[in-house]
Amino acid sequence: MKVLVLGAGVVGVATAYYLWKDGHEVTVVERQPGPGRETSYGNAGGLCPSFAGPWAAPGMIAKVLKLSVQRDSPIRFSPLPEPRKVAWVLQWMRNCNAERFRVNKLRMQRVAHYSLQCLREIASGEDLPSFDFHEGGTLQIFRTPAELDLGRLSAKALEEYGVPWRILDPADISALEPAMAHSRATVAGALHMPADASGDSYKFSQGLAAFLQLRGVDFRYGVRIDALEREGDAIGAVRTSQGPLRADAYVVALGSHAPFLVRPLGLNLPVYPLKGYSITVPVSDPDAVPRMAVMDEHNKIMISRLGNRIRAAGMAELTGYGLDLNPARRKLLVDVVGELFPRGLDWGQVEFWAGLRPMTPDGPPILGRTRWNNLFLNSGHGSNGWTQSCGTSRIVADIVAGRQPAIDLDGLTAERFHA
Ligand SMILES: Cc1cc2nc3c(=O)[nH]c(=O)nc-3n(C[C@H](O)[C@H](O)[C@H](O)COP(=O)(O)OP(=O)(O)OC[C@H]3O[C@@H](n4cnc5c(N)ncnc54)[C@H](O)[C@@H]3O)c2cc1C
């Protein structure tokens, strides 16, 4: 079968991989000059099923309101009443309660654990260039005793999701992660989740796309997709800046931009961008910086070691599609990393970046069939999209092939929004 994948972020490239494995003739269409250049470029690098959970949580409405009026808060919310944003926020608010949180978290956990297993299979089974994959787990650090108490509570909940964990005293932290011995921050304790990993989703996208290109997958870069053209109950072609492209099946993997292309088909995809920022800093002394991913719970900033670089990312802005770089965000990231790891980084060469997390209001991604019988979705991966990319792509390839996916699809398809 001829399949067109729309978008070459980490999700589109992983989708192309599983479709190629099934023997399809695959073409990937991407407006950027290469793969992984938008949200998949500068994310925190965490491959963390332990953290996979919805942004819609009990108490979040009050927390977001309180934080968004504070200066330099990690959360920002523009009050402009854009209809799509208002609809998204209302749906998000309906999910901010304990019952919905539990259901949504379990759904996301199901995908995230499966997905890391899929990624490990690709990493060990295929001859890919390094993407700085590291299996050291995540260290979530708490700066105050009150934060540590909350950490203990949330750790207990991890048992329900089958996530292994261990609480560490300050002395144990530097035994496990020696770079923490140099930290200038006061740390009350930490939670270690050894099953997590980290890696560079941009390098992974590039390496996997190059691997597929050598094996006959056709990547069309620099091509803008303008519309999906209907033909009866199906999609007949994709209209692009370089003319129409036809296939037997189409998979939408367009990150935060997916809603614009499917809306003219009557599909209302509740995906909205949640902007975040990152810095990437070259390492000058490998022993002075962490090997494992470190989550600073106080500042909600994740720091990952990506080979000979450190990546730190965080912040959440519900402000539309702009990608402007706010210098105050850069300062916060630099200050937090500098306080935790005062040595071993080359601060003369900091790369500052912003990206748009494709968020669904309840948390899980939107996978699989639509009412158009050859149009499939692999969308809405939110703040865990790197972690979820390989599993969701395998699921979508299973659905395209008419096979039963390995995990239950309950709550992972577009149907949940029309129930
Ligand atoms: C600050 C930050 C930190 C994050 N940290 C983590 C983390 O630690 N762990 C984790 O798992 N996830 C993390 N994420 C989330 C993760 O990066 C995303 O969920 C993931 O990259 C989404 O991948 P995607 O392929 O769906 O989207 P994208 O990477 O955005 O890919 C979509 C592609 O579609 C293309 N496209 C869009 N419209 C068109 C068009 N009209 N024509 C042609 N091409 C088009 C774009 O150019 C783009 O390449 C983070 C995100 C941010 C912003």
Side-chain angles (χ1 to χ4, degrees):
M1 191 158 61
K2 207 171 163 185
V3 189
L4 213 59
V5 178
L6 313 182
V10 68
V11 172
V13 176
T15 307
Y17 170 77
Y18 285 109
L19 291 168
W20 164 79
K21 283 220 52 120
D22 278 345
H24 300 300
E25 189 186 325
V26 185
T27 300
V28 184
V29 191
E30 166 61 50
R31 63 185 171 191
Q32 295 289 346
R37 303 252 179 147
E38 296 212 356
T39 307
S40 305
Y41 180 76
N43 63 40
L47 289 160
C48 304
S50 315
F51 282 119
W55 204 53
M60 267 304 271
I61 300 173
K63 194 167 171 182
V64 168
L65 285 174
K66 191 173 145 214
L67 280 175
S68 59
V69 294
Q70 278 174 21
R71 218 171 145 257
D72 293 339
S73 149
I75 294 180
R76 214 175 101 207
F77 180 83
S78 90
L80 279 182
E82 189 216 321
R84 232 164 51 75
K85 185 172 75 184
V86 172
W88 188 94
V89 169
L90 291 174
Q91 272 179 298
W92 173 77
M93 287 167 73
R94 281 199 288 275
N95 281 280
C96 285
N97 59 65
E99 193 195 326
R100 294 304 316 154
F101 176 79
R102 187 171 168 276
V103 169
N104 293 330
K105 172 115 184 165
L106 282 168
R107 289 170 174 172
M108 294 176 77
Q109 286 284 312
R110 203 192 313 147
V111 182
H113 292 284
Y114 174 60
S115 192
L116 187 51
Q117 183 192 320
C118 294
L119 182 125
R120 284 189 176 112
E121 278 170 29
I122 297 179
S124 61
E126 306 290 9
D127 186 17
L128 295 185
S130 162
F131 57 99
D132 300 327
F133 187 46
H134 183 73
E135 295 257 30
T138 315
L139 188 68
Q140 186 178 19
I141 55 165
F142 305 103
R143 291 182 178 238
T144 64
E147 277 175 13
L148 180 60
D149 286 346
L150 280 177
R152 275 187 223 280
L153 267 182
S154 67
K156 294 229 168 65
L158 288 175
E159 271 155 25
E160 187 182 358
Y161 313 123
V163 174
W165 58 272
R166 184 160 66 109
I167 292 281
L168 303 175
D169 292 334
D172 300 336
I173 297 174
S174 34
L176 184 73
E177 178 46 79
M180 283 298 292
H182 310 295
S183 169
R184 287 195 199 121
T186 310
V187 175
L191 177 62
H192 181 223
M193 287 154 289
D196 290 345
S198 54
D200 184 333
S201 63
Y202 174 58
K203 281 193 177 178
F204 177 78
S205 308
Q206 278 195 316
L208 188 58
F211 170 93
L212 292 171
Q213 222 161 356
L214 280 176
R215 287 156 181 82
V217 173
D218 182 10
F219 282 83
R220 309 268 181 103
Y221 296 122
V223 179
R224 195 189 59 241
I225 302 155
D226 292 325
L228 300 170
E229 288 177 353
R230 33 181 116 182
E231 213 171 80
D233 293 340
I235 301 303
V238 167
R239 193 157 19 97
T240 79
S241 53
Q242 293 187 6
L245 292 171
R246 293 182 173 278
D248 303 306
Y250 302 81
V251 179
V252 175
L254 295 163
S256 293
H257 299 271
F260 300 114
L261 276 153
V262 300
R263 196 167 38 190
L265 301 169
L267 301 176
N268 180 18
L269 216 58
V271 173
Y272 198 81
L274 189 70
K275 184 178 176 183
Y277 297 84
S278 73
I279 54 167
T280 308
V281 196
V283 171
S284 53
D285 176 358
D287 295 329
V289 292
R291 292 163 305 177
M292 66 177 65
V294 175
M295 175 71 184
D296 177 358
E297 185 54 29
H298 184 77
N299 292 296
K300 302 272 184 219
I301 288 174
M302 165 82 94
I303 302 166
S304 299
R305 171 83 169 268
L306 301 175
N308 55 2
R309 298 159 301 148
I310 283 288
R311 168 83 45 78
M315 288 85 166
E317 297 183 356
L318 209 61
T319 49
Y321 281 79
L323 280 170
D324 55 300
L325 291 168
N326 178 345
R329 299 315 207 181
R330 176 189 163 118
K331 184 176 179 315
L332 179 64
L333 289 165
V334 169
D335 288 351
V336 169
V337 176
E339 188 188 22
L340 285 168
F341 306 106
R343 291 177 31 213
L345 290 167
D346 178 358
W347 287 105
Q349 297 183 57
V350 182
E351 186 185 355
F352 184 35
W353 172 87
L356 304 173
R357 304 172 182 94
M359 303 291 281
T360 57
D362 54 349
I366 307 174
L367 311 177
R369 295 197 166 279
T370 66
R371 79 169 82 123
W372 302 90
N373 57 33
N374 60 352
L375 181 68
F376 302 86
L377 302 171
N378 198 358
S379 295
H381 291 67
S383 47
N384 304 287
W386 169 213
T387 308
Q388 300 184 96
S389 55
C390 294
T392 56
S393 299
R394 189 168 185 171
I395 289 168
V396 171
D398 285 338
I399 296 168
V400 170
R403 273 192 310 267
Q404 183 70 31
I407 63 168
D408 185 1
L409 284 185
D410 175 51
L412 304 177
T413 70
E415 272 170 33
R416 68 188 192 269
F417 299 109
H418 311 301

Coordinates of all heavy atoms in Angstrom, one line a residue, residues 7 48 59 69 75 104 111 170 179 184 204 229 234 267 284 342 347 386 395 400-401 419:
G7 N 4.3 15.2 8.0 CA 5.1 15.7 9.1 C 6.2 14.8 9.5 O 6.1 13.6 9.5
C48 N 10.7 9.3 29.9 CA 10.3 9.1 31.3 C 8.9 8.7 31.4 O 8.0 9.5 31.7 CB 10.5 10.4 32.0 SG 12.1 11.1 31.9
G59 N -6.5 20.5 41.5 CA -5.8 21.7 42.1 C -5.1 22.5 41.0 O -4.5 23.6 41.3
V69 N -0.2 35.0 37.5 CA -0.1 36.5 37.8 C 1.2 36.8 38.5 O 1.5 38.0 38.7 CB -1.3 37.0 38.7 CG1 -2.6 36.9 37.9 CG2 -1.4 36.2 40.0
I75 N 4.7 29.4 34.6 CA 3.4 29.3 33.8 C 2.9 30.6 33.4 O 2.9 31.6 34.1 CB 2.4 28.6 34.7 CG1 2.8 27.1 35.0 CG2 1.0 28.6 34.0 CD1 1.8 26.3 35.8
N104 N -6.9 9.3 33.1 CA -6.0 9.9 32.1 C -4.6 9.4 32.3 O -3.9 9.1 31.4 CB -6.1 11.4 32.0 CG -7.5 11.8 31.5 OD1 -8.2 11.1 30.7 ND2 -8.0 13.0 32.0
V111 N 0.6 3.9 27.4 CA 1.3 4.2 26.2 C 2.8 4.4 26.4 O 3.7 3.9 25.7 CB 0.8 5.5 25.5 CG1 1.5 5.8 24.2 CG2 -0.7 5.5 25.3
P170 N 19.9 13.5 51.2 CA 20.9 14.3 50.4 C 22.2 13.5 50.2 O 22.8 13.6 49.2 CB 21.0 15.5 51.3 CG 19.7 15.6 52.0 CD 19.2 14.3 52.2
A179 N 27.7 14.3 40.3 CA 27.7 15.7 40.0 C 26.9 16.6 41.0 O 27.2 17.8 41.1 CB 27.2 15.9 38.6
R184 N 25.1 24.0 44.4 CA 25.0 25.1 45.4 C 23.6 25.2 46.0 O 23.3 26.0 46.8 CB 25.3 26.4 44.8 CG 26.8 26.6 44.5 CD 27.1 28.1 44.2 NE 28.3 28.2 43.4 CZ 28.5 28.7 42.2 NH1 27.5 29.2 41.6 NH2 29.7 28.8 41.7
F204 N 17.7 11.4 17.0 CA 17.0 10.1 16.7 C 16.2 10.3 15.4 O 16.3 9.4 14.5 CB 16.1 9.8 17.9 CG 15.2 8.6 17.7 CD1 15.8 7.3 17.8 CD2 13.9 8.7 17.3 CE1 15.0 6.2 17.6 CE2 13.1 7.6 17.1 CZ 13.6 6.3 17.3
E229 N -7.6 16.8 0.3 CA -8.7 16.8 -0.6 C -9.5 15.6 -0.5 O -9.0 14.5 -0.6 CB -8.2 17.0 -2.0 CG -7.7 18.4 -2.2 CD -7.1 18.7 -3.6 OE1 -7.0 17.7 -4.4 OE2 -6.7 19.8 -3.9
A234 N -13.3 9.3 1.5 CA -11.9 9.1 1.7 C -11.1 10.4 1.3 O -11.7 11.4 0.8 CB -11.4 7.9 0.9
L267 N -13.2 17.6 11.1 CA -12.6 17.0 12.3 C -12.1 18.1 13.2 O -11.3 18.8 12.9 CB -11.5 16.1 11.9 CG -11.8 15.0 10.9 CD1 -10.5 14.2 10.5 CD2 -12.8 14.0 11.5
S284 N 32.2 20.9 29.4 CA 33.7 21.0 29.4 C 34.3 20.0 30.4 O 35.5 19.7 30.2 CB 34.1 22.4 29.7 OG 33.6 22.9 30.9
P342 N 27.5 24.1 39.1 CA 28.3 25.3 38.9 C 29.5 25.1 38.1 O 30.1 26.1 37.6 CB 28.6 25.8 40.3 CG 28.2 24.7 41.2 CD 27.4 23.7 40.5
W347 N 29.7 28.0 29.2 CA 28.6 29.0 29.1 C 28.8 30.0 28.0 O 27.9 30.8 27.7 CB 28.5 29.7 30.4 CG 27.9 28.8 31.5 CD1 28.5 28.3 32.5 CD2 26.5 28.4 31.6 NE1 27.7 27.5 33.3 CE2 26.4 27.5 32.7 CE3 25.4 28.6 30.8 CZ2 25.3 26.9 33.1 CZ3 24.2 28.0 31.2 CH2 24.1 27.1 32.3
W386 N 8.2 12.7 23.0 CA 9.4 11.9 22.7 C 9.3 10.5 23.3 O 9.4 9.5 22.7 CB 10.6 12.7 23.2 CG 12.0 12.1 23.2 CD1 12.9 12.4 24.2 CD2 12.6 11.2 22.3 NE1 14.1 11.8 23.9 CE2 13.9 11.0 22.8 CE3 12.2 10.5 21.2 CZ2 14.9 10.1 22.2 CZ3 13.1 9.7 20.5 CH2 14.4 9.5 21.0
I395 N 1.5 1.6 17.1 CA 0.0 1.4 17.2 C -0.7 1.9 15.9 O -1.5 1.2 15.4 CB -0.6 2.2 18.4 CG1 -0.1 1.5 19.7 CG2 -2.1 2.3 18.4 CD1 -0.4 2.4 21.0
V400 N -3.3 0.9 10.6 CA -3.3 1.0 9.1 C -3.3 -0.4 8.5 O -4.0 -0.6 7.5 CB -2.1 1.8 8.7 CG1 -1.9 1.8 7.2 CG2 -2.2 3.3 9.1
A401 N -2.6 -1.3 9.1 CA -2.5 -2.7 8.6 C -3.7 -3.5 8.9 O -3.8 -4.7 8.5 CB -1.2 -3.3 9.1
A419 N -17.9 11.3 22.7 CA -18.8 10.4 23.4 C -19.9 11.2 24.1 O -19.8 12.3 24.3 CB -18.0 9.6 24.5

